Amino acid sequence: LFTALFEVVGSCSQHSGSTSNFHPLLGWASQPASAPMRDQMELVRVRLQALWSPALLRAQFAQLYVPLGTKPPWGAVAAMPHEALRNLAERAFAAAALHVTALKVLEPALRTHGAARLAYGSHLIPCVWALLRRLKPGDGAAVEAALLAEVRMPGAPMCALLHLLLDGCAQMLPVLDDSELFDEEHPFTPAELADLGSFVNRLGYGLIYGFVPAERRGGAGTPLDLLCSSAVRLLGLLV
C-alpha cells in the first residue's frame, strides 16, 4: 500500500512546477487537469486527504503515532530494544518520504491540511525526535555527528524523516504556551528543546557552509536545499 501511494504521489511531482496551468490538486503545473479528473475532483480531494487520516498514519508510523495527552509521548520509543528500533526507523523513513513528497507537490489547501494533521493530530513529531536520538549509540555531539553523517549521502533515508521533523516542529512550536513548555514540560522538555536547537544549528551550518558542497546540495527545490531551508526556519523559532 505504501509503495503504491508513494508511486502515485511521486508521479504528481513530475507534473508540478511554476507554469501557466493551474491544476486543482497540484497547483501550478506543466499540464492542466484532464476532463475526467475535473469531473471527479472533489472525490479525488477527499481520497487524498485520507493520506493524513489517523488510521493510515498509525499504520505507517506504528509506535511513533501516539495519541495526544500521552505523557511522556516517547515512552514506547524509549523502551524499545535496538532491533525493534531499527525496524521502526525503516517504516518511518518510508512513511516520511511519502508525506514529504505529498506536501511538496500538492496544492496549498491540501498541503496545509496535511501539515496540520502531522503536527497537531498526535505526538508524532516529538516521537520522531526521540527515535532519531536513539538510532545511534552515545549522546550529545556523538549522536548529532552520526545523524549528520547520514545527511552527507545522496538519497539518505534519514533526510525525509529529518525534513518531517523540522517542518513539524516549525508548525508546532509557535502554538505552545509557556505553561506547556516550562510547567508541564510537554510535549518537549526545555532540555530536549535545547538539544534540538543545538542539532538544528549544526545541521543548518553543515548544509550551508560545511559537509555538503554547493554542487551536491543543488539548486532551489532539491531535497537538500529544502532541508536547509527548513533547518534555518526552525532555528529562527528556537533562538
Side-chain angles (χ1 to χ4, degrees):
L1 174 60
F2 301 154
T3 301
L5 285 171
F6 187 76
E7 288 176 352
V8 170
V9 173
S11 67
C12 293
S13 65
Q14 300 174 10
H15 302 292
S16 62
S18 179
T19 65
S20 58
N21 296 300
F22 185 79
H23 194 289
L25 294 179
L26 306 178
W28 294 106
S30 58
Q31 298 178 7
S34 64
M37 177 171 280
R38 287 196 298 270
D39 294 339
Q40 302 295 325
M41 193 57 64
E42 285 308 309
L43 177 60
V44 173
R45 186 184 298 274
V46 170
R47 294 295 177 87
L48 280 172
Q49 287 177 344
L51 279 172
W52 302 288
S53 66
L56 186 55
L57 290 175
R58 189 178 299 111
Q60 290 176 302
F61 289 100
Q63 292 92 335
L64 297 179
Y65 188 84
V66 175
L68 293 173
T70 305
K71 297 183 179 181
W74 54 86
V77 176
M80 276 187 172
H82 190 70
E83 185 61 31
L85 199 72
R86 289 300 311 180
N87 292 335
L88 178 61
E90 293 300 323
R91 294 185 63 165
F93 293 156
L98 168 66
H99 288 285
V100 168
T101 302
L103 293 177
K104 177 183 176 183
V105 303
L106 295 178
E107 58 91 17
L110 283 171
R111 290 203 301 268
T112 300
H113 172 80
R117 294 300 302 171
L118 291 168
Y120 308 135
S122 69
H123 289 314
L124 172 64
I125 301 303
C127 289
V128 167
W129 178 229
L131 171 69
L132 289 173
R133 296 180 73 190
R134 281 208 61 204
L135 281 179
K136 299 289 183 178
D139 55 13
V143 172
E144 294 173 0
L147 295 178
L148 295 174
E150 294 209 23
V151 179
R152 295 188 185 100
M153 299 184 298
M158 193 176 286
C159 284
L161 196 60
L162 281 173
H163 200 156
L164 185 69
L165 170 72
L166 299 178
D167 284 354
C169 285
Q171 285 266 120
M172 181 191 305
L173 291 180
V175 305
L176 297 177
D177 60 30
D178 288 349
S179 65
E180 290 175 297
L181 289 176
F182 300 108
D183 297 334
E184 300 177 27
E185 298 188 350
H186 181 78
F188 294 103
T189 67
E192 287 164 344
L193 282 179
D195 288 344
L196 179 62
S198 176
F199 168 67
V200 175
N201 185 46
R202 290 171 182 262
L203 177 65
Y205 183 88
L207 287 170
I208 297 172
Y209 302 110
F211 55 73
V212 179
E215 61 273 15
R216 170 80 61 81
R217 196 167 77 234
T222 59
L224 285 179
D225 178 71
L226 293 173
L227 187 65
C228 180
S229 298
S230 295
V232 171
R233 181 167 60 253
L234 178 57
L235 190 61
L237 295 172
L238 288 168
V239 297

